[in-house]
């Protein structure tokens, strides 16, 4: 597959490395004068941390192409991954140009961390072609890609594409600025700032609290499943009814029903055992690297 990467900042360079490591030909464009050197340096730096790749950087660079313009980069490709500046007017002009120059069946994807596909595609002839494929940085290492788009067909095609790269693509069903992961991160970080500013804990103490509690837990099961398992035989329903009076009763009912549908209570013992194994592996890994901060 031939893929165009438009924009070679940190995220674009990370995508380029991953796509090369997965065997694709990657054509990169960016107005930066040191583009070729920057890509080579990034591939050498990132390759050792690409999951499952045991080759050498030089073998990947044989499939790298440098393009002098957006139009040159996207011509004849199967997919375009855009990573330009987070400026709406710039994105609108860029996607209109990409749509005109790229093949009719090429995927048009954006790494935008905050803008919505409907706003960025305003100048496209077929706005449904644009799908947000927002990675959690750096994309060559962190599995998540959030998918947002107006066309179910294009979102489904994008999902298959990211799965082929070894990613974990998750469909976001409604447009929302910042998507999901960044919104969660923002809320948590705002409270981190508040606690440090109020003198409740120091910065390093707060980091230790997170990395030795919710960080370990959420890495294995996520917030809803964590509380569903923590509620014992009654699951999330029991947990919310006893410890979460701030959640309205009707919302508790809906969430408990959903939890029991997707995480049947009969299998919770097995899920808890798997959670414990994974958490112990994370803790053991942290202990081995304890001398690095």
């Amino acid at each position: 597959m031939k893929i165009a990467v438009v924009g070679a900042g940190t995220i674009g360079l990370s995508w380029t490395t991953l796509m090369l490591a997965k065997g694709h030909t990657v054509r990169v464009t960016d107005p930066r004068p040191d583009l070729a050197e920057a890509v080579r340096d990034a591939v050498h730096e990132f390759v050792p941390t690409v999951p499952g790749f045991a080759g050498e950087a030089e073998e990947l660079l044989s499939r790298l192409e440098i393009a002098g313009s957006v139009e040159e980069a996207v011509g004849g490709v199967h997919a375009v991954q855009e990573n330009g500046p987070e400026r709406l007017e710039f994105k609108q002009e860029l996607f209109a140009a990409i749509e005109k120059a790229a093949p009719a069946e090429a995927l048009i994807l954006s790494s935008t961390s905050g803008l919505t596909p409907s706003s960025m595609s305003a100048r496209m002839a077929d706005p449904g072609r644009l799908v947000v494929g927002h990675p959690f940085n750096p994309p060559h290492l962190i599995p998540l890609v959030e998918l947002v788009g107006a066309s179910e067909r294009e979102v489904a095609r994008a999902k298959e594409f990211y799965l082929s790269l070894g990613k974990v693509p998750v469909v976001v069903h409604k447009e929302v600025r910042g998507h999901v992961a960044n919104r969660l991160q923002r809320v948590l970080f705002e409270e981190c700032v508040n606690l440090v500013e109020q003198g409740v804990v120091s910065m390093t103490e707060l980091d230790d609290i997170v990395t030795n509690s919710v960080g370990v837990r959420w890495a294995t099961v996520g917030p809803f499943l964590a509380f569903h398992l923590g509620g014992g035989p009654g699951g999330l329903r029991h947990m919310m009814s006893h410890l979460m009076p701030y959640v309205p009763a009707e919302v508790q009912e809906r969430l408990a029903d959903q939890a029991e549908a997707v995480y049947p209570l009969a299998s919770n013992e097995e899920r808890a055992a798997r959670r414990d194994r994974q958490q112990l592996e994370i803790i053991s890994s942290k202990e081995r690297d304890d001398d690095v901060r």
Side-chain angles (χ1 to χ4, degrees):
M1 183 181 287
K2 183 168 285 189
I3 304 169
V5 172
V6 177
T10 301
I11 293 175
L13 293 172
S14 179
W15 272 128
T16 298
T17 304
L18 176 65
M19 292 165 178
L20 288 170
K22 293 298 180 178
H24 302 297
T25 296
V26 183
R27 193 183 293 154
V28 185
T29 189
D30 189 288
R32 61 188 297 173
D34 64 339
L35 178 57
E37 180 183 2
V39 177
R40 289 184 63 86
D41 289 347
V43 171
H44 280 277
E45 178 184 352
F46 295 154
V47 152
T49 55
V50 174
F53 183 75
E56 298 294 330
E58 288 304 318
E59 68 181 84
L60 304 188
L61 292 169
S62 66
R63 285 182 274 102
L64 171 69
E65 300 177 3
I66 301 297
S69 68
V70 170
E71 289 75 14
E72 179 187 348
V74 305
V77 300
H78 299 91
V80 180
Q81 184 78 43
E82 175 273 335
N83 316 277
E86 292 285 279
R87 300 197 303 269
L88 181 57
E89 286 223 2
F90 173 86
K91 299 271 197 190
Q92 290 174 338
E93 292 179 6
L94 178 59
F95 284 116
I98 289 173
E99 181 187 34
K100 288 179 182 177
E105 283 299 302
L107 284 165
I108 301 178
L109 309 162
S110 175
S111 297
T112 180
S113 60
L115 299 174
T116 60
S118 63
S119 64
M120 294 187 296
S121 63
R123 298 182 190 177
M124 295 175 67
D126 182 3
R129 290 189 66 186
L130 177 60
V131 176
V132 166
H134 170 242
F136 209 66
N137 199 31
H140 74 275
L141 182 60
I142 306 297
L144 177 69
V145 179
E146 295 173 300
L147 301 180
V148 195
S151 166
E152 289 186 11
R153 175 181 181 269
E154 293 304 301
V155 170
R157 293 179 64 218
K159 186 173 184 177
E160 289 302 311
F161 169 68
Y162 289 119
L163 283 170
S164 75
L165 295 177
K167 307 300 289 179
V168 177
V170 178
V171 177
V172 177
H173 301 286
K174 291 184 178 181
E175 285 190 351
V176 59
R177 285 187 62 86
H179 320 309
V180 176
N182 279 344
R183 292 173 70 94
L184 295 173
Q185 184 172 237
R186 175 180 173 177
V187 172
L188 178 60
F189 190 64
E190 284 181 352
E191 187 58 21
C192 292
V193 171
N194 290 337
L195 291 168
V196 171
E197 283 292 292
Q198 292 168 19
V200 178
V201 286
S202 71
M203 184 179 291
T204 55
E205 288 164 345
L206 189 137
D207 282 348
D208 285 342
I209 287 170
V210 171
T211 57
N212 289 283
S213 61
V214 292
V216 176
R217 179 178 294 169
W218 290 349
T220 60
V221 291
F224 280 110
L225 183 52
F227 282 125
H228 192 47
L229 297 177
L236 184 62
R237 192 181 306 275
H238 174 81
M239 179 68 77
M240 289 192 297
S241 66
H242 282 72
L243 298 177
M244 302 180 187
Y246 52 87
V247 180
E250 64 274 15
V251 176
Q252 290 191 24
E253 190 71 19
R254 284 198 299 272
L255 292 176
D257 288 346
Q258 288 182 51
E260 289 164 14
V262 296
Y263 303 125
L265 288 167
S267 303
N268 267 5
E269 187 173 338
E270 181 182 343
R271 291 191 189 91
R274 183 169 63 245
R275 173 205 61 194
D276 293 346
R277 287 195 303 271
Q278 292 173 340
Q279 288 181 165
L280 286 171
E281 288 174 8
I282 293 171
I283 293 167
S284 296
S285 174
K286 279 167 51 62
E287 288 173 348
R288 288 194 297 270
D289 294 334
D290 229 11
D291 57 334
V292 178
R293 180 180 282 276

